[in-house]
């Protein structure tokens, strides 16, 4: 397994950087933008080009691994190894000219994230996390930082496409808005996870948002020292198709959990 992870780390870093640089090269050009689904989501031609760049590399080097990718779905036979690929996280930002978009690759072994690679395409920052080996940005270690007082926290908010507006999610977000300095909804979840891991966010609240962009960020946050739990305060491990997550520096966990529970009416 160690040798597989060593090679996977090298290939994933190269693939993520190549896809991210391709997207950045096309950022200021006219983009072919198409509707995706019925929730107002978008896809561009660059999503597909970046995905092809990544999949070609993964399939050539790991033909025995299974892949689940944002645009093309599942490929490969059943395997203990699963790659999750989001070739352009933040497509909506990219389509409107907002330079907040990235690439996410995660390697899962028997349901457990083992390797996460995130490339902040516009800033050309490469984040890497391997289970038990810490978190890096451009080869340098990163750690979460002790948080500000509760009322001064800057939080990230991640919400699933199918959650919709109104209801419990909206009530919770309004409660977080009222009780913190600022709540960011960035439309590029991996960049929020990167901000938490390097100490620029005080926490993240995720409401039922599972997809190809989730587990690289979770692993990065954990390896950077964040506490990652569900809304009941239980450690979040493995994979979950309907995740509800609080992540933050350990010293802030109880207060942020209390805010979340109050926002849920608990």
């Amino acid at each position: 397994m160690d040798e597989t992870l060593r090679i996977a780390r090298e290939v994933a870093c190269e693939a993520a950087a190549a896809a991210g640089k391709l997207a950045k090269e096309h950022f200021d050009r006219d983009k072919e933008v198409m509707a995706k689904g019925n929730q107002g989501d978008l896809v561009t031609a660059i999503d597909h080009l970046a995905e092809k760049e990544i999949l070609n590399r993964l399939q050539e080097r790991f033909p025995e691994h299974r892949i689940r990718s944002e645009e093309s779905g599942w490929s490969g036979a059943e395997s203990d190894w699963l790659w999750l690929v989001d070739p352009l996280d933040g497509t909506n930002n990219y389509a409107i000219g907002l330079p907040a978009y990235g690439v996410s690759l995660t390697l899962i072994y028997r349901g457990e994230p083992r390797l996460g690679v995130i490339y902040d395409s516009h800033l050309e920052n490469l984040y890497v996390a391997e289970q038990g080996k810490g978190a890096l940005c451009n080869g340098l270690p990163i750690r979460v930082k002790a948080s500000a007082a509760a009322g001064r926290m800057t939080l990230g908010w991640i919400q699933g496409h199918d959650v919709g507006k109104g209801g419990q999610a909206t009530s919770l977000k309004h409660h977080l808005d009222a009780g913190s300095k600022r709540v960011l909804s960035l439309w590029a979840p991996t960049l929020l996870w990167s901000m938490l891991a390097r100490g620029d966010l005080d926490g993240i609240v995720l409401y039922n948002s599972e997809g190809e962009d989730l587990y690289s960020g979770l692993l990065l946050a954990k390896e950077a020292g964040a506490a990652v739990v569900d809304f009941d305060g239980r450690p979040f491990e493995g994979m979950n198709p309907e995740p509800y997550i609080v992540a933050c520096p350990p010293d802030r966990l109880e207060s942020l959990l209390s805010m979340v529970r109050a926002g849920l009416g608990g």
Side-chain angles (χ1 to χ4, degrees), residues 135-214:
L136 303 175
C137 177
N138 297 331
L140 299 176
I142 53 175
R143 296 285 295 177
V144 297
K145 295 178 183 175
S147 298
R152 303 297 297 169
M153 285 195 293
T154 299
L155 303 173
W157 171 263
I158 302 171
Q159 177 178 319
H161 290 296
D162 296 330
V163 171
K165 298 180 180 179
Q168 191 178 60
T170 298
S171 296
L172 173 57
K173 186 172 184 295
H174 286 169
H175 183 79
L176 296 174
D177 275 321
S180 62
K181 178 181 178 182
R182 183 174 293 115
V183 178
L184 300 179
S185 298
L186 198 54
W187 289 3
T190 52
L191 299 189
L192 286 177
W193 290 112
S194 301
M195 292 174 69
L196 175 63
R198 68 175 187 251
D200 293 332
L201 279 183
D202 297 304
I204 287 176
V205 177
L206 180 144
Y207 195 101
N208 194 8
S209 179
E210 200 267 2
E212 289 76 20
D213 58 18
L214 173 60

Side-chain angles (χ1 to χ4, degrees), residues 6 19 33 51 60 93 97 127 134 142 157 191 194 199 202-203 205 209 236 242 255 266:
R6 184 191 67 79
V33 181
E51 183 178 67
E60 178 181 0
N93 295 341
Y127 297 88
I142 53 175
W157 171 263
L191 299 189
S194 301
D202 297 304
V205 177
S209 179
F236 187 92
E242 294 186 353
S255 60

Side-chain angles (χ1 to χ4, degrees), residues 15-45:
K21 288 174 182 176
L22 186 155
K24 186 176 182 181
E25 287 170 1
H26 289 80
F27 181 73
D28 291 323
R29 305 180 190 177
D30 290 335
K31 304 180 184 73
E32 182 182 349
V33 181
M34 298 150 279
K36 178 182 175 182
N38 57 8
Q39 301 292 331
D41 209 0
L42 302 174
V43 63
T44 73

